[in-house]
């Protein structure tokens, strides 16, 4: 059961929350990749959250839903460190093998990789145990609840 929750009142607030979370995670200075799973409703704000992460990482490219690509990759350089953001969207996959075939094991086992996954329930069996799970719920037009 999630212990924490936050209500955001705009996409901007969801992006600000993403930035805050990322700062905290990077401070942990883990020797592994960072894996962030985004669960929840269609239009819940998962891609919006990812845009906030990308912005915090100094990524200039537009981050949108990679639904038709399954995965998109962005290079970033922040505080003299190089990171790679991987944005997975598993909504349309029919089999976890599709994700494994993209080099999943290597991606999740490399330091300085930040991996964000929309619709992670589709690949539950291959998710690493060490990860952050966030759940997005639609409250009304501009309000979302994020539990973690
Ligand atoms: N508080 C909020 N937080 C995030 N997005 C919000 C909020 N209020 C309104 N929105 C709007 O809701 C939409 C969220 O869409 P987004 O693509 O981020 O959802 P998603 O969870 O990725 O959906 P999908 O499952 O279809 O990929 C955007 O159009 C955004 O502007
Ligand atoms: Mg999305």
């Amino acid at each position: 059961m999630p212990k924490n929750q936050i209500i955001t009142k705009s996409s901007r607030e969801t992006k600000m929350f993403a930035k805050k979370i990322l700062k905290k995670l990077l401070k942990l200075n883990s020797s592994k990749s960072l894996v962030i799973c985004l669960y929840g409703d269609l239009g819940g704000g998962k891609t919006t959250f990812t845009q906030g992460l990308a912005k915090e990482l100094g990524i200039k490219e537009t981050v949108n839903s990679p639904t038709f690509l399954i995965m998109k990759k962005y290079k970033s350089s922040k505080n003299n460190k190089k990171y790679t953001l991987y944005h997975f969207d598993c909504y349309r996959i029919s089999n976890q093998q599709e994700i494994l075939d993209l080099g999943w094991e290597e991606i999740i086992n490399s330091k300085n990789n930040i991996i964000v996954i929309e619709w992670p329930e589709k690949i539950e069996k291959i998710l690493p145990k060490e990860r952050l799970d966030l759940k997005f719920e639609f409250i009304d037009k501009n309000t979302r609840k994020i539990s973690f």
Side-chain angles (χ1 to χ4, degrees):
M1 280 290 110
K3 292 152 214 78
N4 300 298
Q5 62 183 48
I6 172 181
I7 301 283
T8 65
K9 297 276 185 194
S10 64
S11 55
R12 192 176 152 270
E13 280 188 21
T14 293
K15 288 176 194 169
M16 275 167 27
F17 173 67
K19 292 179 180 193
K20 221 165 85 181
I21 289 275
L22 184 69
K23 278 187 191 153
K24 286 205 170 144
L25 291 174
L26 291 181
K27 273 195 197 133
L28 299 175
N29 208 11
S30 164
S31 60
K32 295 184 183 162
S33 63
L34 280 180
V35 178
I36 306 173
C37 289
L38 309 180
Y39 293 86
D41 305 334
L42 277 168
K46 302 181 291 297
T47 299
T48 303
F49 177 92
T50 309
Q51 288 165 349
L53 286 185
K55 194 152 186 225
E56 179 61 24
L57 285 167
I59 293 165
K60 299 281 187 305
E61 293 151 84
T62 309
V63 174
N64 45 35
S65 193
T67 296
F68 298 99
L69 291 168
I70 308 178
M71 186 268 280
K72 268 179 148 181
K73 182 177 167 180
Y74 306 88
K75 296 269 178 205
S76 131
S77 162
K78 185 178 163 65
N79 305 333
N80 295 318
K81 280 194 191 158
K82 291 201 186 306
Y83 297 99
T84 306
L85 173 67
Y86 287 86
H87 184 196
F88 285 88
D89 191 329
C90 300
Y91 187 65
R92 278 167 204 278
I93 67 160
S94 48
N95 194 304
Q96 68 181 32
Q97 190 62 36
E98 291 176 50
I99 300 297
L100 291 172
D101 289 347
L102 296 171
W104 176 253
E105 287 297 333
E106 196 182 331
I107 293 169
I108 62 168
N109 285 303
S110 308
K111 188 175 156 69
N112 297 338
N113 282 349
I114 298 165
I115 299 137
V116 180
I117 309 153
E118 298 193 38
W119 300 96
E121 47 272 75
K122 292 266 195 146
I123 56 164
E124 209 164 10
K125 294 200 189 89
I126 59 169
L127 293 173
K129 283 196 186 68
E130 263 183 67
R131 61 176 198 258
L132 175 66
D133 285 339
L134 301 177
K135 187 177 160 214
F136 291 76
E137 286 171 81
F138 186 99
I139 304 293
D140 65 30
K141 189 173 175 289
N142 292 310
T143 313
R144 303 290 184 272
K145 182 163 96 181
I146 309 169
S147 316
F148 53 104

